[in-house]
C-alpha cells in the first residue's frame, strides 16, 4: 500500500478530517504476506523509529514525500501498543502513538442521545477524560464542532503545536482523540480551523477546570478522586420537601466578602503555602481567599448568624472579575480564582457538615463573546442563535443560546445535572429567566423576531426550562431551583405536567420593589401607600415565592440599605430592622445579600471588602445580633415557614390602619393551632394601648421585638407579653392591648402552658369561692 503525496500533504497541512486513515498502523499485503505499515507525522523530528511491544526491537522509519512524515513496513501483524522513538535535535523521547488507539469512546447510542438532546451525562463523554485504553493510561478528548474543517489538541505535551495531535471527525460532528502518557494537570485547548482556513484557539466547553484568568487554557482534572463525607446530608435531603422547611439564604460573592493580604500564604490541601490569585491590578495588596479558607471562615460566620443556605454568585469560570461571574466561559469549571475543583468540593462538603445548603447562581441565558469561549466556536454560530435578533443581547454585549438546537440544549441540561451530581450542590438560582422566555426582552421594535404564532414568547427556551427542571427534580429530589423572573409569566413554579416552567421557587420582585419604595419614603407619607405593604398578600400563594433583597439592590448608585432609609441615623437603623423583620414574618422564603447583616453604608464594591470595620460600632454590632435572632425566630417557628406557599398560612388581623401605618396578621403552621401574631408599626411614632384582635384567649409572649435595646432600639415593648381581654375586636373574640414601639415589629405567641396554669388556678379559686358560698 503506497501513500500518495496528496494524502501526506493533507496531514502536513492539517486538512484531513480523519487522520487515522493515514497515520497509525495499517494491515497490508506484500508479496502475498500480511504485514503492517506504520506511519507517523512528527513535525520537529529528525528521525523516528518504531519499538515493537513484543521484543522491544527498533524499526527505523523512512521519510516519505515530506522530511517529517515517516513510514516503515514491519513483517508482523501483532503490533498493538507499539511505541515511537523520536529524535529531535539532542533530545530523544519514547511515546505511545495516539493513532494506534482507534476505538472511539463515544458509542452510536451516545451520539444518538446527544443528537436528540437527551444525553443527560454527555459531560462524561465530551471534554477531557482520564482513561486507560488497551492497558495504556492517557486522556481521551472529544469536542463537538460539526462545521469545522479540522480540529487539533494543543497543550504543553505537544508544545502547543496543532499539527501533532489532529483529531478524527465522526459523522455527528464530534471530534475525538486519545493521547497516551498524559494525565491530570495537563493544560490544553482546541485548535479549530474553519473552511476558510481561519484558526481559533478554544477552551474546552466541557472542561472541568481552567487556568486562572487572564490565561484561558483548560486543565485535565479527575473529579472522582475526592472522598465525600456528606452521605447523611444527601440522604436527608432526598426525603425532605424544602417548601415546608425554613430557607434563609445568605447571598455571597466569594471574591469580595473578604480578602487576605497578598503576602499572607494561602491555605492549600497538601500543607504547602504559597500566594494565590491577586484580586486585580486595582488591589495589588490583596488576594482572594481560597475555597478551603472560605470553608473555614465563611461557613462558620453564616452558621453563627443562623442562615440555612449560602447562595454564591456564579462560580463557573468567567474571564472578567467585574462581571460578578455572570458572563461564563467555563460552564463546567468552578472558577480557579479560588482554587481547584477539589477545593470547591471541600467547600460544599464543609457546608453540609455544618448543616448549610449550597445554592449556586446558574446562567443558561447568555454567554460572552470572548474569543476562547463558546462564541463562533467552530467558525459558525454553533452555540448561539444565528439570527442576531434572537442570538444577541446588545445591551449586555452577550450572545444567546440557540435553545432550538438539540445539542446546545443538551449542553445546558447536562451542565445543570453536572453541578448537582459532581459537586453535591443543593440548588440553583437561575439568572435572568425573563431574558430567556421573552423574545423582545430589552430589544427595541424591529430588533426582535416573533415566534411562529406571532407572539413574544421564546417557546424553545421555555421548553428547555421545563425539561431541565423536570430532570433536576427527578434525579435530585429535595433540591431547589429558583427563578429570577421579574415579569407576569404565568405558572413559573407550577409543575411541568400542568404547563408550568417547573421551578419550585421564584423571586418575588414585586414585593421587593414595593417594599423598597415604601421604606425610602418619609414615614409621614407612608399612610398614603399602605397598599405597598399589603398588595403582595393578594398574590403570595399564586406562586412559590422567595423574598429577596439581593446584590442588585445595592449597586449602580442605588445605595446600600442604610442609605435608602429616611431620617437620622437611629431611624435609619430602625427602618432597616423593620424592613427585615417584616420580611421574615411575611410569607415566602428569604434571601439577603452579604453586608446587609451589619449593615454597611457603602454600595457593594466587587473590587473591595465588605466594610468589616463597622463592627467596632455598637449600632452595627446590634444589627448583627438582630439578624442572628431574627433567623433563630424564623427557623424555630413552623408558623413562619411551613405554609409559606399556602393561602391558609396567612391571615390578616388588620391591614386597614393606614392612618398609623400599622398592619397586624397571623401566620399559621400546618397544625392550625400553632400560630404567631405579628404587629408592624412603620412610623417613628410609638403607640400605647393599641388594640388588636386575636383568635384564642390566654397569655401571648412577646417572642421578638425589633426595637429591643440589644439591637440598638429604644427598648419599648410589652414587658415580655400580654394577657388577652375578653373584648371582641377585629372579628376575633379576644384582643390584646399593646404598646407598639417606633418603627418596630412585634411577634407574639400564645403560651399554652402559662395559659393552662392560669385557667387551672382560676378554676381552683372559683371552686373555693363556690364552696365558701355553699357553707355560708
Amino acid at each position: 500500500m503506497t501513500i500518495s503525496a496528496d494524502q501526506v500533504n493533507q496531514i502536513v497541512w492539517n486538512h484531513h478530517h480523519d487522520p487515522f486513515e493515514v497515520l497509525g498502523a495499517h494491515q497490508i499485503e506484500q508479496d502475498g504476506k500480511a504485514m503492517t505499515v506504520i506511519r507517523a507525522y512528527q513535525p520537529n523530528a529528525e528521525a523516528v523509529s518504531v519499538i515493537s511491544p513484543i521484543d522491544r526491537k527498533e524499526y527505523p522509519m523512512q521519510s516519505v514525500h515530506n522530511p517529517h512524515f515517516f513510514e516503515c513496513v514491519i513483517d508482523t501483524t501483532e503490533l498493538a501498543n507499539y511505541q515511537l522513538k523520536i529524535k529531535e535535535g539532542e533530545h530523544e523521547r519514547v511515546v505511545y502513538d495516539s493513532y494506534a488507539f482507534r476505538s472511539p469512546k463515544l458509542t452510536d447510542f451516545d451520539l444518538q442521545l446527544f443528537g436528540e438532546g437527551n444525553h443527560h451525562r454527555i459531560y462524561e463523554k465530551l471534554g477531557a477524560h482520564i482513561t486507560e485504553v488497551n492497558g495504556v493510561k492517557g486522556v481521551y478528548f472529544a469536542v463537538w464542532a460539526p462545521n469545522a474543517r479540522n480540529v487539533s489538541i494543543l497543550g504543553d505535551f505537544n508544545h502547543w503545536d496543532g499539527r501533532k495531535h489532529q483529531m478524527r471527525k465522526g459523522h455527528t460532528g464530534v471530534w475525538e482523540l486519545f493521547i497516551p502518557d498524559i494525565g491530570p494537570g495537563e493544560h490544553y485547548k482546541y485548535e479549530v480551523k474553519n473552511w476558510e482556513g481561519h484558526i481559533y484557539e478554544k477552551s474546552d466547553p466541557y472542561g472541568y477546570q481552567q487556568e486562572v484568568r487572564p490565561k484561558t487554557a483548560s486543565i485535565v482534572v479527575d473529579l472522582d478522586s475526592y472522598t465525600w463525607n456528606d452521605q447523611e446530608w444527601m440522604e436527608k435531603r432526598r426525603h425532605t420537601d424544602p417548601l415546608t422547611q425554613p430557607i434563609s439564604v445568605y447571598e455571597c460573592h466569594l471574591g469580595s466578602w473578604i480578602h487576605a493580604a497578598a503576602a499572607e500564604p494561602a491555605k492549600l490541601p497538601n500543607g504547602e503555602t504559597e500566594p494565590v490569585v491577586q484580586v486585580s491590578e486595582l488591589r495589588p495588596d490583596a488576594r482572594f481567599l481560597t475555597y478551603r479558607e472560605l470553608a473555614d471562615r465563611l461557613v462558620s460566620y453564616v452558621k453563627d448568624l443562623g442562615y440555612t443556605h449560602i447562595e454564591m454568585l456564579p462560580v463557573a469560570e468567567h474571564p472578567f472579575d467585574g462581571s460578578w461571574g455572570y458572563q461564563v466561559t467555563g460552564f463546567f469549571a468552578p472558577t480557579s480564582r479560588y482554587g481547584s475543583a477539589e477545593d470547591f468540593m471541600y467547600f460544599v462538603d464543609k457546608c453540609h457538615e455544618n448543616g448549610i445548603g449550597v445554592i449556586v447562581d446558574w446562567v443558561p441565558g447568555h454567554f460572552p463573546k470572548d474569543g476562547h469561549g463558546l462564541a463562533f466556536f467552530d467558525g459558525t454560530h454553533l452555540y448561539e442563535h444565528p439570527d442576531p435578533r434572537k442570538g444577541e443581547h446588545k445591551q449586555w454585549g452577550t450572545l444567546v443560546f440557540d435553545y432550538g438546537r438539540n445539542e446546545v440544549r443538551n449542553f445546558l441540561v447536562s451542565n445543570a445535572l453536572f453541578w448537582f451530581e459532581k459537586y453535591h450542590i443543593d440548588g440553583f438560582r437561575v439568572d435572568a429567566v425573563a431574558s430567556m422566555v421573552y423574545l423582545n426582552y430589552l430589544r427595541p421594535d424591529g430588533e426582535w423576531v416573533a415566534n411562529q404564532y406571532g407572539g413574544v414568547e421564546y417557546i424553545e427556551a421555555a421548553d428547555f426550562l421545563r425539561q431541565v427542571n423536570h430532570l433536576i427534580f427527578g434525579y435530585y429530589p429535595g433540591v431547589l431551583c429558583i427563578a429570577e423572573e421579574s415579569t407576569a409569566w404565568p405558572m413559573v413554579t407550577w409543575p411541568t405536567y400542568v404547563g408550568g416552567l417547573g421551578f419550585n421557587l421564584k423571586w418575588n420582585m414585586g414585593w421587593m420593589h414595593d417594599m423598597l419604595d415604601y421604606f425610602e419614603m418619609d414615614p409621614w407619607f407612608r399612610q398614603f401607600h399602605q397598599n405597598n405593604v399589603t398588595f403582595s398578600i393578594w398574590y403570595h400563594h399564586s406562586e412559590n415565592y422567595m423574598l429577596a433583597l439581593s446584590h442588585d439592590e445595592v449597586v449602580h448608585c442605588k445605595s446600600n440599605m442604610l442609605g435608602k432609609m429616611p431620617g437620622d441615623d437611629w431611624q435609619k437603623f430602625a427602618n432597616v430592622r423593620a424592613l427585615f423583620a417584616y420580611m421574615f414574618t411575611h410569607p415566602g422564603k428569604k434571601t439577603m445579600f452579604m453586608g446587609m447583616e451589619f449593615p454597611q453604608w457603602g454600595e457593594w464594591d466587587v473590587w473591595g471588602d465588605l466594610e468589616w470595620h463597622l463592627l467596632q460600632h455598637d449600632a452595627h454590632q446590634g444589627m448583627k445580633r438582630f439578624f442572628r435572632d431574627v433567623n433563630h425566630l424564623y427557623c424555630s417557628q413552623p408558623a413562619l415557614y411551613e405554609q409559606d406557599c399556602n393561602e391558609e398560612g396567612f391571615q390578616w388581623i388588620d391591614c386597614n390602619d393606614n392612618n398609623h401605618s400599622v398592619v397586624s396578621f397571623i401566620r399559621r403552621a400546618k397544625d392550625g393551632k400553632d400560630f404567631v401574631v405579628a404587629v408592624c408599626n412603620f412610623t417613628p411614632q410609638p403607640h400605647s394601648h393599641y388594640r388588636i384582635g386575636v383568635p384564642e384567649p390566654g397569655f401571648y409572649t412577646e417572642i421578638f421585638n425589633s426595637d429591643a435595646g440589644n439591637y440598638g432600639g429604644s427598648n419599648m415593648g410589652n414587658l415580655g407579653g400580654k394577657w388577652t381581654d375578653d373584648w371582641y375586636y377585629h372579628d376575633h373574640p379576644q384582643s390584646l392591648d399593646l404598646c407598639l414601639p417606633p418603627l418596630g415589629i412585634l411577634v407574639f405567641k400564645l403560651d399554652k402552658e402559662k395559659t393552662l396554669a392560669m385557667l387551672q388556678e382560676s378554676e381552683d379559686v372559683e371552686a373555693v369561692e363556690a364552696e365558701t358560698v355553699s357553707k355560708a
Side-chain angles (χ1 to χ4, degrees), residues 668 672-673 675 694-698 700 724 732-735 750 752:
R668 295 186 186 275
K673 293 188 178 297
F675 65 93
V694 289
E696 294 185 27
Y700 282 75
T724 55
H732 290 289
Q734 302 287 319
S735 59
L750 178 64
K752 296 182 180 180

Side-chain angles (χ1 to χ4, degrees), residues 612-627:
W612 295 104
H613 63 277
L614 294 175
L615 286 172
Q616 65 186 306
H617 303 296
D618 290 341
H620 296 274
Q621 278 285 2
M623 288 297 301
K624 189 178 175 185
R625 288 190 289 270
F626 163 83
F627 275 102

Side-chain angles (χ1 to χ4, degrees), residues 185 302 408 476 479 535 590 598 632 636 674 704 717 753 775:
V302 170
V408 174
Y476 310 104
V479 302
F535 179 65
K590 327 298 177 187
F598 309 166
H632 175 74
S636 65
D674 183 358
F704 185 80
E753 291 184 4
K775 287 181 178 179

